[in-house]
Amino acid sequence: MAPINTRKIALCVILSIITFGIYPIYWYYLLVKNIRILKNDDSSCVGEMLCLTLVPFYYLFWWYTCSKVVANELENRGCTIHGNPTTYLLLSIFGLDIIALAIMQANFNSLASIFLKFIPQNPNNILEVQNLQKSFGDNTVLRDISFVVPKGSVMSIIGPSGSGKSTLLRCMTLLETADNGSISYGNLAMALPLSDDRCFYAPKKTLQEIRGRFGLVFQNFNLFPHMTVLHNLTEAPIRVKKQPKPQAEATARALLDKVGLADKADAYPCELSGGQQQRVAIARALAMQPEILFFDEPTSALDPELTGDILKVIRSLAEEHMTMVVVTHEMKFARDVSDYVIFMDNGVIVEQGDPRDVIDNPQNARTQAFLSRLNEN
């Protein structure tokens, strides 16, 4: 990741101070003075009148020039800036002060709402992660993680325990905050890099909209034990999306039928097997109509006999072109269902690509050792 060129940014900040500080005062002085001259029908100050006319063009010139430098620096950090003069103009008005604060390591989350919405992302990708980093104290668990998830694709993340898979998932779903890097969902930027050890997040309103775009299925189901299955599925749509109760219940019953649990609507989680609870959890995530669904080792807490039922549901979602990111130890599932596979170890992406290449014909020695050990078991 290219560092921000502080000299360029500092020059832009200085020029902006001159532009927005000195010249408005001078322009106001000329305006008042020349109004008096015109009232007295005195045309001797042609030069000052010319300055008065040219000052607005000076404004526009420096707005465009300075903001273009800022935009180039943002592109060096992995942000997509379209070559639209209006974008540069808006960045110049709202962006320069933010960049200056970034250099000074100030906290400017309150200004991020203005800044983020002028950085268009690629809408063809449901999810983009660039140069993501995360540490817990001195322990770095994610190092320079980058990938994209196109719409309608299935990506599997495999690797040994402790490799950073679940932490990556938690960073993407706002359960953890990243230390650096960028995460975006379609046209919404969730987090952007600020410095070598910090990144800033979008404001609460944007994050709330992003939360509505993804669903998460946990390892241990996390159903509400005091609610029936139907109530578990309708709670969020009614409270968060403000759906009418009859509509939410109709959708919930259709989803329960889809996962083979139409007769369990009035049951409580404690009355269900582990596999049934996980299928309810999947239906609950689908009830919010997410654009992308995350699975954190959905079969790890299940007996081998129950694993097949869960994988069957996920396969059916893949056939419907549901965009999914699945952290899994099920290599056959990852090979047969995924469009893309990432193998992680020690917080880095060791190998990635087509699942048949990564799983059946791995090139990296660490990937080979991991898969051979799984085959032995």
Side-chain angles (χ1 to χ4, degrees), residues 72-84:
N72 289 336
E73 291 305 313
L74 288 172
E75 287 181 328
N76 290 337
R77 297 298 295 251
C79 303
T80 303
I81 304 291
H82 295 295
N84 187 333

Side-chain angles (χ1 to χ4, degrees), residues 17 28 30 40 62 100 104 169 214 234 242 307 370:
I17 291 172
Y28 178 76
L30 290 177
N40 296 329
W62 281 120
M104 294 185 292
L169 211 65
F214 65 76
T234 59
K242 308 301 180 185
T307 297
F370 171 76

Side-chain angles (χ1 to χ4, degrees), residues 358-372:
V358 175
I359 296 175
D360 293 339
N361 187 29
Q363 302 301 306
N364 187 278
R366 181 65 186 93
T367 313
Q368 295 171 359
F370 171 76
L371 292 172
S372 64

Side-chain angles (χ1 to χ4, degrees), residues 68-145:
K68 192 168 184 178
V69 174
V70 173
N72 289 336
E73 291 305 313
L74 288 172
E75 287 181 328
N76 290 337
R77 297 298 295 251
C79 303
T80 303
I81 304 291
H82 295 295
N84 187 333
T86 304
T87 305
Y88 292 130
L89 181 62
L90 293 171
L91 272 172
S92 69
I93 297 171
F94 298 111
L96 288 173
D97 292 338
I98 295 174
I99 296 297
L101 288 173
I103 297 169
M104 294 185 292
Q105 299 293 294
N107 182 358
F108 57 94
N109 281 328
S110 60
L111 299 177
S113 58
I114 299 173
F115 181 56
L116 285 174
K117 63 184 179 182
F118 297 121
I119 304 178
Q121 306 297 312
N122 187 347
N124 296 321
N125 293 324
I126 295 292
L127 173 66
E128 292 188 36
V129 176
Q130 296 293 330
N131 309 117
L132 196 68
Q133 299 181 44
K134 175 65 179 177
S135 298
F136 294 103
D138 296 330
N139 181 26
T140 302
V141 293
L142 296 176
R143 298 179 179 88
D144 201 28
I145 303 294

Side-chain angles (χ1 to χ4, degrees), residues 235-351:
E235 179 71 4
I238 292 173
R239 288 186 176 272
V240 178
K241 302 190 77 172
K242 308 301 180 185
Q243 286 185 5
K245 186 175 180 180
Q247 178 186 344
E249 289 187 349
T251 301
R253 292 184 185 278
L255 289 171
L256 287 174
D257 183 60
K258 185 175 184 175
V259 299
L261 295 174
D263 59 333
K264 301 295 184 180
D266 297 322
Y268 285 88
C270 63
E271 300 172 334
L272 305 178
S273 67
Q276 290 173 331
Q277 290 187 56
Q278 190 64 293
R279 280 184 280 164
V280 171
I282 295 173
R284 181 177 63 178
L286 292 171
M288 291 296 287
Q289 300 175 331
E291 295 181 5
I292 181 171
L293 200 55
F294 294 96
F295 293 87
D296 187 8
E297 299 187 17
T299 61
S300 64
L302 303 177
D303 295 334
E305 293 181 352
L306 301 176
T307 297
D309 293 335
I310 303 304
L311 297 182
K312 182 180 178 180
V313 172
I314 300 176
R315 286 175 188 270
S316 68
L317 293 174
E319 291 170 359
E320 296 172 4
H321 303 290
M322 179 72 194
T323 309
M324 293 182 286
V325 175
V326 185
V327 173
T328 182
H329 288 297
E330 300 291 336
M331 294 303 110
K332 186 177 185 304
F333 167 82
R335 181 181 60 243
D336 296 342
V337 177
S338 305
D339 300 296
Y340 199 78
V341 167
I342 287 175
F343 172 69
M344 291 182 62
D345 188 37
N346 290 325
V348 300
I349 295 178
V350 176
E351 194 165 351

